[in-house]
């Protein structure tokens, strides 16, 4: 297997984090993916809702593997502009409202990007319902300053209800190990998929590989559910973030899943509210373990209760799809800035590339 240039992986993570793509507005992320994957794949298509698929031909065109990494990030939609020029937002994807105060955002209008700052219509200290400020902020309090003093002035900037808005944060590397960014969920997964496709660029795999950037995962796995009907895969691997920790602590579900200990081979996802989930077939787990062991990359196991990935939607597709996942341990998921270990991303790519090359299609 070729080796991955770690510095280039960091540059890719930075480039993919910088681009904005709230659920429903992923076009710029798809364009970026196309820049890198178009030269090394055989066919490209986009569907009407924005999913993008890159096909790499294999020896057997009748066996298809779908790789799925969601392109969207959590963000906001403009819901209203009041007569003082303040912009109201509603969430797109799951957020914690009370950490949003004082964040920089960018509103994407028909006339271009407009910068804004999340605050409130009155001074923040007046909104504190708890003297220690532990619960100061609700969605209904959120008002964005865009530098306007009236609805007319905000409208003149191009801001309208229905515009998407995203978090603005600079990406950084911490201690040479961790990558921080506003959208590591799931740009790290996209970079992992991209690096895997680069590793096998000069090889002919057994199956046809459909590397997919999916849309609207954060609002309920919408893109993957549509895409699986067209791709009709036999196998699928989702590459996404999982809830990770830094050191020896167990989380409230007694899981140990650490940044820097290798990509996670998914065993089981289940959301107890919606019953969406996926139990990864044992043979798929074994094939992914064998790939990691052959390449000498560390791995751990991923179980996500009360969460899910595109895998939940894909396994229903076609006539049932053998669906597994590579889960990258992340901290601060669904907050304003996430963390992922750079080596977990590159090791995930090596694991995935080996799995694709060794997949036995003589079923
Ligand atoms: Zn995700």
């Amino acid at each position: 297997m070729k080796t991955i240039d770690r510095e280039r992986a960091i540059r890719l993570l930075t480039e993919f984090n910088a681009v904005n793509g709230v659920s429903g507005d992923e076009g710029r992320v798809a364009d970026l993916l196309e820049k890198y994957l178009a030269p090394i794949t055989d066919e490209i298509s986009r569907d009407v809702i924005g999913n993008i698929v890159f096909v790499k031909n294999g020896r057997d065109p009748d066996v298809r593997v779908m790789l799925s990494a969601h392109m969207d990030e959590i963000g906001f939609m403009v819901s209203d502009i009041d007569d003082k020029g303040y912009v109201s937002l509603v969430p797109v994807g799951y957020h914690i409202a009370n950490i949003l105060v004082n964040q920089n955002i960018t509103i994407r209008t028909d006339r271009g990007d407009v910068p804004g700052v999340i605050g409130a219509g009155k001074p923040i200290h007046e909104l504190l319902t708890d003297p220690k400020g532990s619960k100061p902020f609700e969605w209904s309090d959120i008002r964005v300053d865009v530098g306007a003093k009236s609805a007319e002035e905000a409208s003149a900037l191009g801001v309208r209800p229905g515009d998407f808005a995203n978090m603005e944060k600079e990406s950084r590397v911490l201690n040479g190990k961790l990558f921080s960014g506003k959208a590591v969920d799931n740009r790290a997964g996209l970079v992992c998929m991209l690096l895997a496709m680069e590793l096998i660029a000069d090889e002919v795999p057994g199956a046809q590989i459909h590397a997919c950037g999916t849309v609207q995962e954060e609002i309920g796995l919408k893109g993957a559910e549509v895409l699986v009907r067209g791709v009709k895969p036999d196998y699928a691997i989702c590459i996404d973030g999982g809830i990770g920790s830094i050191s020896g602590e167990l989380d409230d579900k007694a899981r140990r899943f650490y940044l820097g200990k290798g990509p996670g081979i998914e065993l089981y996802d289940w959301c107890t509210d919606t019953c969406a989930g996926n139990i990864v077939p044992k043979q798929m787990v074994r094939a992914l373990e064998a790939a990691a062991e052959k390449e000498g990359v560390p791995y751990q196991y991923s179980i996500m209760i009360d969460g899910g990935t595109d895998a939940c939607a894909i396994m229903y597709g076609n006539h049932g799809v053998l669906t597994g996942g590579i889960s990258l341990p992340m901290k601060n998921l669904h907050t304003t800035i996430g963390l992922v270990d750079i080596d977990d991303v590159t090791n995930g790519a090596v694991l995935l590339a080996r799995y694709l090359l060794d997949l036995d299609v003589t079923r």
Side-chain angles (χ1 to χ4, degrees):
M1 185 79 63
K2 292 188 283 189
T3 50
I4 293 174
D5 177 346
R6 195 170 185 274
E7 289 306 311
R8 181 165 176 275
I10 294 169
R11 285 198 299 278
L12 286 170
L13 285 167
T14 306
E15 191 177 6
F16 273 82
N17 261 272
V19 76
N20 292 328
V22 174
S23 311
D25 188 30
E26 299 90 343
R28 289 178 286 191
V29 188
D31 292 346
L32 187 57
L33 204 53
E34 186 170 342
K35 173 176 133 184
Y36 289 103
L37 281 180
I40 57 169
T41 52
D42 299 298
E43 233 177 90
I44 304 167
S45 61
R46 297 195 196 211
D47 66 18
V48 292
I49 61 169
N51 289 306
I52 188 163
V53 183
F54 302 87
V55 180
K56 178 178 170 67
N57 292 329
R59 291 189 296 277
D60 187 343
D62 294 328
V63 182
R64 287 178 294 279
V65 184
M66 177 176 175
L67 306 180
S68 168
H70 71 85
M71 299 187 288
D72 55 319
E73 67 192 272
I74 59 169
F76 315 94
M77 184 184 278
V78 172
S79 56
D80 197 16
I81 304 166
D82 73 15
D83 50 14
K84 293 178 188 149
Y86 285 122
V87 175
S88 301
L89 300 175
V90 290
V92 177
Y94 175 74
H95 287 272
I96 302 160
N98 62 15
I99 61 167
L100 295 176
V101 64
N102 284 93
Q103 300 296 326
N104 287 330
I105 62 164
T106 297
I107 302 170
R108 189 182 185 196
T109 79
D110 292 352
R111 287 197 228 146
D113 289 351
V114 172
V117 171
I118 299 179
K122 44 182 156 174
I124 297 296
H125 62 268
E126 285 180 25
L127 289 170
L128 298 178
T129 52
D130 172 325
K132 292 202 176 69
S134 61
K135 196 176 176 295
F137 217 56
E138 309 268 353
W139 277 104
S140 55
D141 300 321
I142 283 178
R143 299 286 183 277
V144 177
D145 280 293
V146 290
K149 295 198 182 94
S150 65
E152 292 70 32
E153 217 181 325
S155 299
L157 291 170
V159 180
R160 298 175 66 173
D163 286 345
F164 292 101
N166 61 272
M167 212 74 74
E168 281 300 344
K169 285 271 173 166
E170 196 187 343
S171 292
R172 297 190 297 185
V173 175
L174 314 184
N175 195 22
K177 294 177 184 166
L178 302 186
F179 180 88
S180 75
K182 69 170 174 62
V184 292
D185 175 15
N186 184 36
R187 304 298 156 67
L190 280 172
V191 169
C192 180
M193 179 174 80
L194 161 59
L195 291 170
M197 293 298 284
E198 288 184 344
L199 285 172
I200 63 167
D202 301 327
E203 315 263 0
V204 182
Q208 267 218 336
I209 297 167
H210 293 243
C212 307
T214 63
V215 297
Q216 300 185 35
E217 190 268 355
E218 297 291 5
I219 64 156
L221 323 175
K222 309 298 185 199
E225 185 160 352
V226 171
L227 200 49
V228 70
R229 296 179 200 143
V231 174
K232 297 188 172 62
D234 303 283
Y235 304 88
I237 303 278
C238 292
I239 309 106
D240 203 344
I243 301 161
S245 319
I246 289 291
S247 58
E249 71 270 28
L250 296 178
D251 72 5
D252 64 343
K253 307 250 175 5
R255 290 169 297 204
R256 288 178 294 172
F257 193 52
Y258 302 136
L259 279 72
K261 297 267 182 189
I265 294 174
E266 182 191 329
L267 300 178
Y268 175 42
D269 287 344
W270 187 41
C271 181
T272 51
D273 285 346
T274 61
C275 283
N278 180 48
I279 296 171
V280 182
K282 272 274 170 70
Q283 70 264 39
M284 196 144 208
V285 173
R286 297 291 170 258
L288 289 163
E289 288 167 345
E293 279 155 24
K294 190 164 170 183
E295 292 296 331
V297 298
Y299 64 93
Q300 42 191 336
Y301 295 110
S302 162
I303 292 174
M304 190 145 58
I305 299 293
D306 297 331
T309 69
D310 278 349
C312 313
I314 292 168
M315 61 87 64
Y316 292 121
N318 204 7
H319 302 293
V321 181
L322 296 171
T323 306
I326 292 178
S327 178
L328 301 172
M330 293 181 188
K331 277 200 84 178
N332 307 344
L333 271 171
H334 289 248
T335 63
T336 60
I337 193 142
L339 292 171
V340 68
D341 187 282
I342 297 152
D343 291 339
D344 291 342
V345 178
T346 56
N347 283 328
V350 172
L351 192 172
L352 179 58
R354 176 48 61 195
Y355 168 82
L356 294 170
L357 292 177
D358 285 3
L359 180 65
D360 180 10
V361 296
T362 57
R363 302 168 299 140

